Amino acid sequence: MATPSPPRLLPYPAMLISPMPILFLAAGPLAAVHFPSRCRLRLRLRFTHAVAAAAAATTPENNFAVEDYLIANCHLTQPQALKASKNLAHLKSPANADAVLAFLDGLGFSPKEVAAAVASNPRILCARIERSLAPISAELRALGLSHSQIARLAKIAGRYFLCRSFVSKVEFWLPLFGSPERLLQASDWNYWLLTSDLEKVVEPNVAFLKQCGLSACDISKLLVAAPRLVTMHPEYVQDSVRRATQLGVSPGSQMFRHAISTAGCIGQEKVDAKIAVLRETLGWSQEEVSLAISKAPRILVASEERLRRNAKFLVNEVGLAPQYIARRSVLLMYSLERRLMPRHLVVKLLKKRRLIEQDRCFFNVVAPTEDKFLEKFVAPFEDCIPGLGDAYDSACAGNAPVTTEQ
């Protein structure tokens, strides 16, 4: 009796074909086994997938080390490269990245600017130069931006830098800000200026502000003080204007844009709380509150603690009348420790030595810049009062106050 031959082992891909019995596969070619056409198609598809998987398993692994490339060629730190590499895991070679870096180098990007642009938007290394980078850079140069300014825009805008609508947004903002540098400064604070929808958000907001009497110059200054305002929903901007008028500031006044920026950054509940502090501390009437806000709407941005401490100091230490403060309400915004108190001590000493007039207006003492104050109230009297400048500096630093001792 003949010894039966051992069963023939199937190749790996064929073993994956299931759930058909192995007997049918060993008996002959797949086409020789009579299955319904649908089953034959399913078996062929499974066989094809198995062969592809087996081929992939034998393919050498990608040797392009993205993280090392980012550190060596893009000047990223190790933590930056680790984070950025997650967006570039699909890269198989440095070819396109090399071309992008060469293009940026041709634009005049410094290594630091390249690092900032790549860290902000790692996928810039995947950009098509002829389709995106080259035309965008050329159009920005035509708008008057320098290579360095383009580099800063790429850092600020991130992935939006490569959007087709990006240049049109820069073109829209430039006339309002007056210069690329001012636009860059505002965009640094609020990059939504470069990413918000022009047609649905920004243009309606700017048009509405112009209807309220604000000039292009006013709007550009408003954007510096409250850069997020015009990128908010139009209903929010309209509500801010309505609340600004309720504060008692006339739409045609110079302070109206300050009132809008104030109303745009704090809610009505906080406004009411701060007005209550002013009434309680200074005993102001509603008319005096309205006068104070119309003179300096930004006092409502100051904390309740600052308003309370400054009001008490001005009344109790300096001896100012609440009505005087209402007409010069910006006094409530100054730093008590670094401005109001040190300057008051200097003027108090000068008055005691009869070196200045006794009725010197306190507002004219604290309103000037630091350099102007030193020039007018410290430098001319250091011969009469040795060490006055050092004592003033010490008081500004929160140390010993200005003393009358020589």
Side-chain angles (χ1 to χ4, degrees):
M1 183 174 180
T3 303
S5 59
R8 184 158 58 98
L9 295 177
L10 299 176
Y12 171 68
M15 293 175 66
L16 295 177
I17 301 177
S18 62
M20 295 296 107
I22 295 179
L23 174 62
F24 293 131
L25 300 176
L30 184 62
V33 183
H34 297 288
F35 295 117
S37 59
R38 185 177 299 176
C39 292
R40 289 200 303 273
L41 177 60
R42 188 178 301 159
L43 289 171
R44 285 194 179 96
L45 288 174
R46 290 184 178 180
F47 182 79
T48 302
H49 292 161
V51 171
T58 61
T59 301
E61 292 186 2
N62 174 31
N63 292 322
F64 178 44
V66 176
E67 189 175 333
D68 294 340
Y69 180 89
L70 293 172
I71 295 173
N73 297 69
C74 302
H75 317 287
L76 267 62
T77 63
Q78 199 280 329
Q80 287 176 322
L82 178 62
K83 181 179 179 181
S85 64
K86 297 174 183 178
N87 296 281
L88 303 171
H90 62 287
L91 290 184
K92 303 302 180 185
S93 79
N96 197 82
D98 286 343
V100 169
L101 293 179
F103 179 81
L104 296 179
D105 181 66
L107 284 181
F109 277 42
S110 67
K112 185 177 180 179
E113 290 169 339
V114 169
V118 174
S120 174
N121 176 29
R123 293 188 66 83
I124 195 174
L125 297 175
C126 308
R128 300 288 183 88
I129 294 176
E130 297 303 322
R131 292 178 59 182
S132 58
L133 273 177
I136 288 174
S137 300
E139 290 174 25
L140 291 175
R141 287 286 293 150
L143 292 176
L145 277 75
S146 66
H147 291 146
S148 177
Q149 289 169 336
I150 293 174
R152 287 170 61 189
L153 274 179
K155 174 189 175 183
I156 294 169
R159 61 189 178 91
Y160 293 98
F161 180 76
L162 299 176
C163 293
R164 293 182 178 180
S165 61
F166 182 76
V167 176
S168 63
K169 292 173 181 177
V170 174
E171 188 174 11
F172 174 84
W173 286 120
L174 278 176
L176 282 172
F177 282 99
S179 71
E181 193 60 35
R182 290 179 181 173
L183 171 59
L184 285 165
Q185 289 174 354
S187 301
D188 244 340
W189 300 328
N190 176 25
Y191 92 116
W192 289 106
L193 288 174
L194 301 173
T195 61
S196 296
D197 192 305
L198 276 181
E199 184 178 349
K200 295 180 180 180
V201 177
V202 175
E203 289 179 342
N205 285 339
V206 171
F208 176 70
L209 292 173
K210 287 181 177 180
Q211 290 175 5
C212 295
L214 271 68
S215 65
C217 181
D218 290 330
I219 294 174
S220 67
K221 291 178 180 178
L222 176 63
L223 291 171
V224 173
R228 292 192 60 188
L229 185 64
V230 294
T231 62
M232 304 295 284
H233 193 280
E235 290 182 0
Y236 182 89
V237 177
Q238 294 165 18
D239 182 65
S240 298
V241 171
R242 178 186 59 80
R243 292 197 295 116
T245 57
Q246 289 178 346
L247 292 174
V249 185
S250 303
S253 70
Q254 294 181 344
M255 290 291 118
F256 189 56
R257 63 179 173 87
H258 296 289
I260 294 175
S261 66
T262 299
C265 66
I266 60 173
Q268 189 61 43
E269 185 177 338
K270 289 186 177 180
V271 169
D272 294 339
K274 291 174 183 180
I275 289 177
V277 168
L278 295 174
R279 282 182 167 178
E280 172 193 343
T281 311
L282 293 165
W284 281 348
S285 64
Q286 181 57 49
E287 291 73 17
E288 288 169 328
V289 168
S290 298
L291 174 63
I293 294 175
S294 68
K295 294 291 185 180
R298 299 292 291 178
I299 62 173
L300 296 176
V301 179
S303 68
E304 294 180 32
E305 180 63 19
R306 169 169 288 193
L307 293 175
R308 185 177 289 107
R309 293 181 66 215
N310 282 15
K312 289 182 177 179
F313 176 80
L314 294 171
V315 172
N316 300 333
E317 297 296 328
V318 184
L320 301 180
Q323 295 77 12
Y324 179 98
I325 300 172
R327 292 192 298 271
R328 300 164 181 82
S329 51
V330 70
L331 290 169
L332 297 169
M333 297 179 59
Y334 293 140
S335 169
L336 177 60
E337 291 79 9
R338 295 190 302 273
R339 191 163 190 159
L340 295 179
M341 189 180 295
R343 295 193 184 190
H344 168 63
L345 293 171
V346 167
V347 171
K348 184 178 178 181
L349 175 58
L350 295 178
K351 287 181 179 180
K352 185 173 182 178
R353 300 292 181 87
R354 299 185 182 277
L355 295 173
I356 61 173
E357 58 271 24
Q358 297 297 311
D359 59 349
R360 170 75 67 167
C361 176
F362 185 71
F363 178 76
N364 292 337
V365 171
V366 297
T369 63
E370 183 73 2
D371 288 341
K372 289 291 184 182
F373 175 79
L374 292 172
E375 178 185 333
K376 192 169 186 178
F377 294 99
V378 176
F381 305 107
E382 287 199 281
D383 289 339
C384 302
I385 309 176
L388 179 63
D390 292 337
Y392 172 72
D393 291 339
S394 180
C396 289
N399 299 322
V402 176
T403 179
T404 59
E405 297 295 327
Q406 294 191 13

